[in-house]
């Protein structure tokens, strides 16, 4: 780890000032990716601004047809939330299966979405649910944010809240990489008034993406039966030592089917 | 009978210390004025070093010294050694390349040691290390085992043409050829025994200091055998004579073989402590452990079996290439030769065996002994062969094994081993019952109804532990003897200290060795302390590996206790004023036959030190005895493991549903500890078969160099183990014990792959059977069926 400065502001405006004052400063929102990278000297920062002491950033509440989750809410808090469970039970399941207990008690939903690891779980849910990402400056539609790897926030922007429109049905099914327990392939399926979305994570080098052929099939009939015949194109999918593109393409079909099963259970 | 004696499931005394964070590991040791060592490692698998520029680094804050291989050479520090000479089939000695502790002009694997930086803090040392400019001329690398011997491949050491260290063989080729000629059925398999990365929970570490006043060095190190470390550092590396070098291996958090070896870091830290006049501390980080701890396994094998029409094995032919990595680690040469081929007969009466092994250099991390060391590889060969042969011949795999089991002992195999005792059919019968083998068909139907594939596989393994006697292994090329020492110090109040030359790094010796004393002297174990791991306390020993500590080390304790009891009996006779031959010692009490006189052990101990009641010209005062014990033979633990799996054909995911282990370890000192050892071994074996994959890319970069990519077994990957024992006491040592530390890791891989291939309906799967690989194999089966 290279030496760095560390501040832990108690208000959002303090954090904004610190961020503006130090070029290259990074926000710490749980640190489950950033801290290991720093420890391995793969990353070097002049200043870490720890957002964990800012009050109000871990609020979970229902606002009409929206579920609002503060950006600094930990995975464990989401997994244990009765509000989330009542609104979008599939998110409870998703959060409860991220990493291990240590990760879930430190990692946050905002950290996961901002970092947007191509095998992370939350980005799949955010895109499938057409979430809005609220920052200190604007609201960004997940559709825009997840159009490419690490696209999104400006240097001085701080993610504060995620707004999930409550769908009719939602489920996330993950086939974990046996080593890292990140998604080898994970599929989020949401059925809402606006239509059906199927989003895959872990399978593309540029992060999460929608799977139109599965969306079309499920829009016609929201049932697992029709999915088996659909062959997912593997040509743009990730191949690595844990699975080739063909295997990942196959798993997209299987995990989507299982997510649909869970939606209907 | 003592409550804490032999055979009692006494809770491990050391665990309170370990689980409450009160262990004292090498990294916990700090010496005044110490500097921290950081090693500059090669990023290339193979390169020439043109120049090492250290000017900027030496001027960096906190830097106390920077050294390279040239500095070691200038001080005439010897190179690392391989302590087992193997001769090729043509009689020539193995072709060994030099192994400098810090590279001289070439690096031979990614992670090879190039320089050491010593600084006031770890971070300063790392900062300075980044300022060192090493001018590398990258060379092509020979990475893959099966290709490395080709003439077109880069030469790794001038001393080893075609990267071949040796071409060794064992057995009778002509007899095997004849067996194959008359066989009714032949089975052939070709497979890889996958390379494993050890991953002890405690990374390696070393703290070295030099005392100018006495001229003595102290090295605290993560070692399984501190005395061997001292011997090698003295006699071969030449750092200091043994009487000026103290090596301490304090609490050590797991070894699995990887801490047997004498590594570059220990050499450099010890030497540098004197060079700069300050203690030197090095603690590996996990990333370093992945590339710099000796790896395990890594064989490529073609194995053939010849059977008569009834399924009786007539002969085995085995051709193995063993990857030894870029340099020969301390015992690397012995693992794929004398620790491997002598076990190829398994539990079976096989008349003829011929095994050829090529030891091969590659531009990868050195490979050496890892839990089981050669024996898991041998078991995988024979247990995959018999399973597949049985399936091919349409014979039930259990029945096939029963037909071929050795039934008379002692049994001389065609590959050196002389099995002393065992009862293999008994073990198989218990295993079949415990595993509810009869109910498997019904369980398979249930799985099939759920769309899952279910399979069952056997592994009837044998291993050789407590390798000995020393004369025999010396004749096979070993550079050491493999006896063990013990000293029993009885204090005046009757408490006892046991000094052992074995070393515990998770095995529980502080409990088991104390139980032996408790049993023999009739005192509770809280009056017994076990001391190990310090060359200033224990005079000499050979350490712990190869499941030897109970069979060899425990036997040495027994011999020393015999001497203690003998002397105490003489003293008791004098005190009770009766003839020596009328004194009996039972349950901690000396009694004089035909009288009502008795003395407790503690009373005799006190008299031994008072020396008031016997003639000290006849009997020396005090009560302290020692013994060196050299066994008459190896021990041969054996057993039957049965794995049952359920495969999800949609994802390729394999769940281990049931695991039955029936082991014959001879007598048990502590059944709870034995069971724990079996559990750990099975977990590691399941890890090898299902999860742990080591991948080098074509340039020799280790791609699985962190837990993000290298998959260690987790509790959720494992079923609840059903463990049972049968018992044929070992005749080759006074305790009748055989050794249990490696059994699970030896048995498990073959059982699991046999279960998976049984579920798949074909043999086309390699270890580890990752979900992706199994999914492919399922698809292959579907294609095969479609073709039929």
């Amino acid at each position: 780890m290279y030496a760095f400065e560390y501040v832990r502001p108690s208000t959002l405006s303090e954090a904004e000032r610190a961020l503006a004052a130090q070029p290259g400063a990074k926000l710490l929102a749980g640190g489950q990716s950033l801290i290991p990278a720093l420890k391995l000297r793969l990353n070097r920062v002049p200043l870490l601004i720890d957002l964990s002491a800012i009050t109000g950033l871990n609020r979970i509440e229902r606002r009409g047809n929206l579920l609002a989750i503060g950006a600094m809410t930990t995975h464990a808090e989401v997994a244990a939330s009765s509000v989330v469970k009542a609104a979008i039970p599939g998110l409870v399941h998703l959060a409860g299966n991220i990493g291990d207990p240590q990760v879930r008690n430190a990692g946050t939903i905002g950290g996961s979405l901002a970092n947007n690891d191509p095998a992370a779980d939350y980005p799949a849910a955010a895109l499938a649910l057409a979430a809005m990402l609220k920052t200190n400056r604007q609201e960004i539609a997940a559709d825009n944010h997840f159009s490419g790897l690490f696209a999104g926030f400006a240097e001085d922007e701080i993610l504060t809240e995620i707004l999930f429109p409550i769908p009719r049905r939602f489920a996330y099914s993950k086939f974990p990489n046996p080593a890292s327990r990140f998604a080898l392939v994970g599929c989020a399926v949401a059925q809402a008034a606006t239509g059906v979305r199927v989003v895959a994570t872990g399978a593309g080098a540029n992060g999460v993406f929608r799977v139109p052929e599965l969306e079309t099939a499920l829009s016609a009939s929201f049932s697992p039966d029709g999915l088996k015949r659909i062959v997912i194109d593997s040509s743009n999918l990730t191949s690595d030592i844990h699975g080739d593109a063909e295997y990942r393409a196959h798993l997209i079909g299987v995990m989507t089917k299982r997510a649909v099963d869970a939606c209907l259970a | 009978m003592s409550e804490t004696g032999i055979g009692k499931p006494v809770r491990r005394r050391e665990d309170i210390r370990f689980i409450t964070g009160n262990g004292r590991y090498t990294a916990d040791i700090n010496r005044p004025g110490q500097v921290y060592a950081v090693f500059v490692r090669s990023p290339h698998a193979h390169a020439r070093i043109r120049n090492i520029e250290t000017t900027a680094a030496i001027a960096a804050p906190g830097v106390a010294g920077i050294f390279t291989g040239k500095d070691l050479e200038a001080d005439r520090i010897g190179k690392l050694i391989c302590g087992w000479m193997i001769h090729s089939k043509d009689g020539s000695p193995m072709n060994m390349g030099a192994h400098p502790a810090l590279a001289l002009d070439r690096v031979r694997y990614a992670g090879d040691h190039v320089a050491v930086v010593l600084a006031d803090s770890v971070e300063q040392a790392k900062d300075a290390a980044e300022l060192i400019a090493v001018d590398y001329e990258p060379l092509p690398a020979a990475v893959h085992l099966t290709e490395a011997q080709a003439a077109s491949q880069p030469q790794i050491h001038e001393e080893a043409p075609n990267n071949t260290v040796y071409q060794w063989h064992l057995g009778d080729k002509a007899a095997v050829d004849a067996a194959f000629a008359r066989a009714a059925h032949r089975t052939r398999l070709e497979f890889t025994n996958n390379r494993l990365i050890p991953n002890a929970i405690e990374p390696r570490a070393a703290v070295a200091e030099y005392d100018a006043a006495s001229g003595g060095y102290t090295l605290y190190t993560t070692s399984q055998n501190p005395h061997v470390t001292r011997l090698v550092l003295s006699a071969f590396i030449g750092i200091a004579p043994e009487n000026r070098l103290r090596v301490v291996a304090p609490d050590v958090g797991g070894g699995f073989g990887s801490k047997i070896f004498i590594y570059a870091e220990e050499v450099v830290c010890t030497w540098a402590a004197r060079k700069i006049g300050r203690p030197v501390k090095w603690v590996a980080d996990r990333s370093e452990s992945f590339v710099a701890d000796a790896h395990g396994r890594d064989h490529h094998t073609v194995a053939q079996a010849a059977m008569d029409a009834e399924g009786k094995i007539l002969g085995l032919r085995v051709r193995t290439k063993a990857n030894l990595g870029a340099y020969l680690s301390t015992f690397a040469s012995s693992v794929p030769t004398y620790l491997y081929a002598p076990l190829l007969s398994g539990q079976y009466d096989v008349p003829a065996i011929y095994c050829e092994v090529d030891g091969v250099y590659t531009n990868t991390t050195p490979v050496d002994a890892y839990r089981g060391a050669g024996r898991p590889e041998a078991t995988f060969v024979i247990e995959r062969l018999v399973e597949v042969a049985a399936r091919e011949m349409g014979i039930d795999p259990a029945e096939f094994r029963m037909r071929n089991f050795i039934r008379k002992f002692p049994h001389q195999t065609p590959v050196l081993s002389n099995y002393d005792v065992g009862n293999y059919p008994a073990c198989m019968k218990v295993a079949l019952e415990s595993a509810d083998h009869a109910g498997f068909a019904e369980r398979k139907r249930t799985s099939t109804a759920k769309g899952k594939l279910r399979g069952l596989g056997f592994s009837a393994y044998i291993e050789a532990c407590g390798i000995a006697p020393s004369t025999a292994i010396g004749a096979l090329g070993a550079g050491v003897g493999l006896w063990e020492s013990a000293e029993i110090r009885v204090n005046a109040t009757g408490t006892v200290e046991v000094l052992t030359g074995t070393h515990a790094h998770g095995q529980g010796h502080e409990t088991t060795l104390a139980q032996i004393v408790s049993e023999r002297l009739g005192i509770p174990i809280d009056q017994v302390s076990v001391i190990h791991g310090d060359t200033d306390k224990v005079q000499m020993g050979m350490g712990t590996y190869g499941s030897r500590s109970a069979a060899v080390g425990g036997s040495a304790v027994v011999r020393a206790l015999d001497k203690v009891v003998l002397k105490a009996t003489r003293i008791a006779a004098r005190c009770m004023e009766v003839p020596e031959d009328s004194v009996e010692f039972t349950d901690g009490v000396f009694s004089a036959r035909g009288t009502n006189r008795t003395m407790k052990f503690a009373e005799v101990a006190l008299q031994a030190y008072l020396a008031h009641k016997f003639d000290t010209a006849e009997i020396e005062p005090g009560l302290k005895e020692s013994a060196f014990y050299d066994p008459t033979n190896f021990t041969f633990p054996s057993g039957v493991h049965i794995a049952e799996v359920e495969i999800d054909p949609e994802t390729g995911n394999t769940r281990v549903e049931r695991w039955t282990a029936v082991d014959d370890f001879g007598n048990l000192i502590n059944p709870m500890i034995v069971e724990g050892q079996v559990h750990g071994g099975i977990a590691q074996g399941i890890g090898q078969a299902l999860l742990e994959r080591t991948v080098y890319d074509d340039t020799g970069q280790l791609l699985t160099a962190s837990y993000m990519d290298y998959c260690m077994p987790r509790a959720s990957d494992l079923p609840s183990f059903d463990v049972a024992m049968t018992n044929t006491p070992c005749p080759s040592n006074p305790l009748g014990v055989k050794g249990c530390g490696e059994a699970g890791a030896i048995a498990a891989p073959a059982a699991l792959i046999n279960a998976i291939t049984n579920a798949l309906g074909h043999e086309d799967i390699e270890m580890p059977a990752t979900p992706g690989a199994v999914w492919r194999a399922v698809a292959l089966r579907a294609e095969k069926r479609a073709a039929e």
Side-chain angles (χ1 to χ4, degrees):
Chain A
M1 201 177 253
Y2 297 106
F4 56 82
E5 296 296 318
Y6 171 87
V7 293
R8 193 167 182 237
S10 54
T11 67
L12 194 59
S13 53
E14 267 181 66
E16 286 174 324
R17 279 199 299 279
L19 193 56
Q22 176 63 64
K26 284 264 185 199
L27 301 172
L28 184 64
Q32 297 306 289
S33 297
L34 181 56
I35 298 292
L38 291 173
K39 285 168 85 173
L40 290 166
R41 294 191 163 210
L42 296 171
N43 206 333
R44 182 172 205 161
V45 294
L47 171 67
L48 269 191
I49 303 165
D50 185 348
L51 302 178
S52 64
I54 298 174
T55 47
L57 282 189
N58 65 343
R59 199 176 298 134
I60 299 175
E61 54 185 32
R62 172 118 182 212
R63 293 183 203 142
N65 197 36
L66 290 177
L67 173 67
I69 301 179
M72 287 300 290
T73 310
T74 63
H75 311 323
E77 287 166 341
V78 172
S81 165
S82 55
V83 178
V84 178
K85 193 170 184 187
I88 314 179
L91 273 185
V92 166
H93 176 77
L94 179 150
N97 284 287
I98 298 174
D100 51 39
Q102 289 90 333
V103 168
R104 292 195 286 276
N105 280 294
T108 63
I109 184 169
S112 171
L113 290 169
N115 185 51
N116 193 18
D117 186 286
D121 301 311
Y122 267 128
L127 184 56
L129 290 164
M132 299 294 290
L133 310 184
K134 200 169 153 190
T135 75
N136 55 336
R137 291 170 30 147
Q138 57 173 335
E139 273 189 22
I140 312 168
D143 292 32
N144 297 330
H145 181 71
F146 295 113
S147 53
L149 188 64
F150 300 124
F153 304 117
E155 279 290 306
D156 60 348
E157 213 166 355
I158 302 174
L159 181 60
T160 56
E161 195 171 55
I162 298 90
L163 302 168
F164 294 99
I166 296 169
R168 193 178 309 156
R169 296 186 176 103
F170 169 81
Y172 175 71
S173 186
K174 167 164 74 171
F175 190 80
N177 173 327
S180 70
R181 302 286 160 107
F182 271 85
L184 191 68
V185 166
C187 290
V189 173
Q191 186 188 32
T194 50
V196 175
R197 285 190 177 199
V198 176
V199 177
T201 186
N206 294 324
V208 292
F209 58 88
R210 292 172 63 178
V211 192
E213 50 268 59
L214 293 171
E215 291 184 353
T216 308
L218 289 171
S219 299
S221 162
F222 195 80
S223 117
D225 303 334
L227 299 179
K228 255 201 164 163
R229 288 184 297 278
I230 298 171
V231 177
I232 307 294
D233 179 17
S234 65
S235 51
N236 290 317
L237 301 187
T238 302
S239 271
D240 60 24
I241 58 170
H242 302 290
D244 60 19
E246 200 188 340
Y247 180 49
R248 280 192 163 87
H250 169 78
L251 284 178
I252 289 174
V254 175
M255 291 300 115
T256 299
K257 185 169 77 68
R258 291 183 185 183
V260 172
D261 283 336
C263 278
L264 297 171
Chain B
M1 279 293 276
S2 166
E3 286 303 305
T4 53
I6 290 173
K8 300 291 193 302
V10 179
R11 285 198 181 181
R12 289 164 39 119
R13 305 196 289 171
E14 45 271 76
D15 284 353
I16 296 292
R17 178 167 97 243
F18 295 147
I19 64 178
T20 55
N22 288 306
R24 185 167 179 261
Y25 297 90
T26 301
D28 295 325
I29 291 164
N30 293 295
R31 305 300 302 154
Q34 72 191 12
V35 295
Y36 295 83
V38 163
F39 286 83
V40 175
R41 296 179 185 277
S42 170
H44 302 287
H46 199 190
R48 206 176 305 285
I49 298 174
R50 290 204 197 96
N51 184 41
I52 303 174
E53 178 53 59
T54 59
T55 315
I58 201 88
V63 172
I66 296 176
F67 301 106
T68 68
K70 292 203 171 92
D71 299 304
L72 288 173
E73 199 169 57
D75 276 8
R76 299 194 177 158
I77 295 302
K79 298 190 171 57
L80 299 173
I81 62 155
C82 178
W84 198 307
M85 172 53 72
I86 298 297
H87 288 84
S88 284
K89 47 187 124 173
D90 66 5
S92 61
M94 64 186 183
N95 303 315
M96 186 168 26
H99 188 183
L102 294 174
L104 289 165
D105 53 354
R106 250 161 93 184
V107 285
R108 292 180 171 87
Y109 67 99
D112 203 354
H113 314 72
V114 175
V116 65
V117 180
L118 308 170
D120 293 338
S121 76
V122 176
E123 295 304 323
Q124 286 174 328
K126 285 185 177 176
D127 289 343
E130 289 180 2
L131 298 173
I132 295 176
V134 185
D135 183 8
Y136 293 105
E137 178 194 335
L139 301 171
V143 178
H144 302 298
L145 170 62
T146 52
E147 298 161 10
Q149 291 172 286
S152 58
Q153 289 278 303
Q155 270 291 142
I156 298 170
H157 293 275
E158 280 73 26
E159 298 87 344
N162 297 322
N163 298 323
T164 303
V165 182
Y166 48 71
Q167 293 188 295
W168 176 87
H169 69 160
L170 185 67
D172 186 338
K173 183 173 186 299
V176 168
D177 288 346
F180 274 79
R182 69 169 188 280
H185 184 86
R186 300 174 190 86
T187 292
R188 180 187 187 277
L189 288 173
E190 180 170 354
F191 50 80
T192 296
N193 198 293
N194 47 320
R195 178 185 282 236
L196 301 175
I197 301 175
N199 281 298
I201 196 165
E202 178 207 22
R204 286 194 295 116
V207 177
E209 66 182 323
Y210 175 71
D211 176 31
S214 67
Y217 294 79
T218 302
L219 169 66
Y220 302 89
T221 181
T222 49
S223 174
Q224 297 179 218
N225 47 352
H227 292 89
V228 178
T229 301
R230 181 174 73 155
L231 176 65
V232 171
L233 289 177
S234 295
F236 297 93
I237 314 287
I239 285 181
E242 278 171 291
N243 60 320
R244 298 229 187 284
L245 176 57
R246 176 185 176 201
V247 177
V248 183
D251 284 335
V252 173
F256 312 111
S258 71
K259 293 173 182 167
I260 299 172
F261 322 121
I262 289 75
Y263 286 97
E265 293 88 354
E266 294 164 310
V267 171
V268 171
C269 289
T270 311
W271 165 80
R274 179 176 185 178
K275 195 79 181 165
I276 67 160
R278 292 170 69 180
V280 176
K281 177 170 187 169
W282 170 74
V283 180
D285 59 34
R286 188 57 70 180
S287 305
E288 272 184 303
S289 303
F290 268 93
V291 297
D293 291 3
H295 293 176
R297 317 278 192 261
D298 207 346
H299 286 193
H300 179 269
T301 293
V302 176
Q304 294 166 278
M307 273 71 56
D308 71 13
E310 279 71 51
K312 179 82 189 63
I313 305 168
L314 302 175
L316 299 175
R317 187 187 281 144
V318 178
R319 178 92 182 79
T320 292
K321 291 184 180 202
N323 197 341
L324 301 175
Y327 301 97
L328 292 187
S329 173
T330 316
F331 290 105
S333 54
S334 65
V335 176
T337 50
Y338 288 112
L339 300 184
Y340 170 64
L343 276 303
L344 283 170
S345 195
Q347 299 186 1
Y348 311 110
D349 184 5
V350 181
I353 300 175
Y354 182 61
C355 176
E356 294 173 281
V357 179
D358 285 5
V360 180
Y361 276 129
T362 59
N363 290 115
T364 62
T365 294
V367 180
D368 206 325
Y370 173 68
R371 200 170 192 171
R375 290 151 293 173
E377 295 92 318
T379 296
F380 195 76
V381 170
I382 182 71
E383 285 308 291
R384 283 289 290 137
L385 269 181
V386 297
E387 188 92 13
V388 174
R391 290 172 186 171
E392 287 175 351
M393 297 184 75
I395 303 170
D396 176 78
E399 166 59 23
F400 186 96
R401 287 177 169 86
M402 291 292 254
R403 283 184 202 176
N404 284 286
F405 278 151
I406 294 161
R407 285 161 196 268
K408 276 165 76 180
F409 294 90
H411 174 87
Q412 178 62 52
T413 70
V415 276
L416 297 175
S417 299
N418 189 292
Y419 299 167
D420 48 5
V421 72
N423 187 343
Y424 308 142
C427 218
M428 175 62 90
K429 278 176 197 151
V430 175
L432 289 171
E433 239 167 70
S434 299
D436 185 22
H437 185 248
F440 173 70
E442 182 54 37
R443 294 192 294 277
K444 190 175 172 74
R445 271 193 292 279
T446 309
S447 295
T448 308
K450 291 187 295 178
K452 302 283 167 56
L453 310 173
R454 201 175 186 95
L456 179 142
F458 295 87
S459 179
Y461 76 96
I462 190 160
E463 58 169 322
C465 298
I467 293 176
S470 297
T471 50
I473 58 150
L476 301 180
V480 291
L482 284 173
W483 44 264
E484 197 44 80
S485 79
E487 184 177 319
I488 304 293
R489 297 180 182 170
V490 180
N491 298 314
T493 55
T495 60
V496 173
E497 283 141 35
V498 183
L499 288 81
T500 173
T502 66
H503 182 275
H505 29 278
Q507 293 89 344
H509 296 177
E510 289 172 42
T511 304
T512 45
L513 295 183
Q515 283 181 256
I516 296 173
V517 177
S518 172
E519 175 81 19
R520 297 300 287 252
L521 299 185
I523 58 177
I525 59 167
D526 59 13
Q527 292 182 19
V528 184
S529 300
V530 175
I531 294 160
H532 63 92
D534 184 341
T535 61
D536 263 12
K537 294 177 180 168
V538 179
Q539 184 244 333
M540 187 57 175
M542 297 312 295
T544 287
Y545 37 80
S547 305
R548 67 188 300 275
S549 297
V552 191
S555 296
V557 170
V558 170
R559 288 290 167 84
L561 285 168
D562 288 344
K563 296 183 190 177
V564 166
V565 170
L566 189 68
K567 182 170 177 185
T569 303
R570 296 183 69 200
I571 292 170
R574 298 298 187 285
C575 294
M576 294 188 285
E577 297 173 329
V578 295
E580 280 173 28
D581 59 8
S582 73
V583 176
E584 287 172 355
F585 181 58
T586 319
D587 293 340
V589 178
F590 294 90
S591 51
R593 231 185 351 265
T595 76
N596 59 358
R597 287 172 219 173
T598 62
M599 282 180 86
K600 288 185 176 156
F601 179 75
E603 293 174 282
V604 178
L606 182 62
Q607 289 303 328
Y609 288 93
L610 289 175
H612 294 164
K613 296 190 176 171
F614 54 88
D615 179 358
T616 55
E618 195 188 345
I619 303 174
E620 286 179 20
L623 196 51
K624 183 184 81 165
E625 298 290 344
S626 64
F628 283 73
Y629 174 75
D630 199 32
T632 55
N633 191 359
F634 297 6
T635 70
F636 294 97
S638 63
V640 173
H641 286 218
I642 301 180
E644 202 169 311
V645 300
E646 192 178 75
I647 293 172
D648 179 351
E650 285 191 334
T651 61
N653 194 49
T654 300
R655 268 201 70 76
V656 184
E657 292 286 329
R658 296 169 71 106
W659 198 282
T660 305
V662 182
D663 297 292
D664 181 352
F665 298 130
N667 295 336
L668 307 181
I669 296 170
N670 183 323
M672 188 193 289
I673 288 179
V674 169
E675 198 170 326
Q677 287 286 321
V678 172
H679 284 205
I682 296 170
Q684 274 177 300
I686 291 175
Q688 167 162 28
L690 218 48
L691 306 166
E692 296 184 43
R693 182 164 171 236
T694 307
V695 185
Y696 281 96
D697 72 10
D698 291 340
T699 68
Q701 293 299 320
L702 180 62
L703 299 183
T704 50
S706 81
Y707 295 133
M708 292 297 282
D709 295 303
Y710 189 84
C711 186
M712 296 290 287
R714 294 162 164 89
S716 60
D717 297 315
L718 309 170
S720 181
F721 303 128
D722 179 9
V723 176
M725 310 283 165
T726 59
N727 177 5
T728 58
C730 179
S732 310
N733 63 65
L735 287 163
V737 298
K738 297 185 184 180
C740 64
E742 298 160 294
I746 292 170
L752 196 47
I753 294 299
N754 284 338
I756 290 171
T757 52
N758 177 239
L760 292 173
H762 67 76
E763 307 299 334
D764 210 359
I765 188 87
E766 286 267 29
M767 295 195 290
T770 60
V774 171
W775 177 73
R776 286 257 165 237
V778 170
L780 194 70
R781 181 179 84 143
E783 279 168 31
K784 267 189 182 171
R785 284 213 170 148
E788 277 163 17

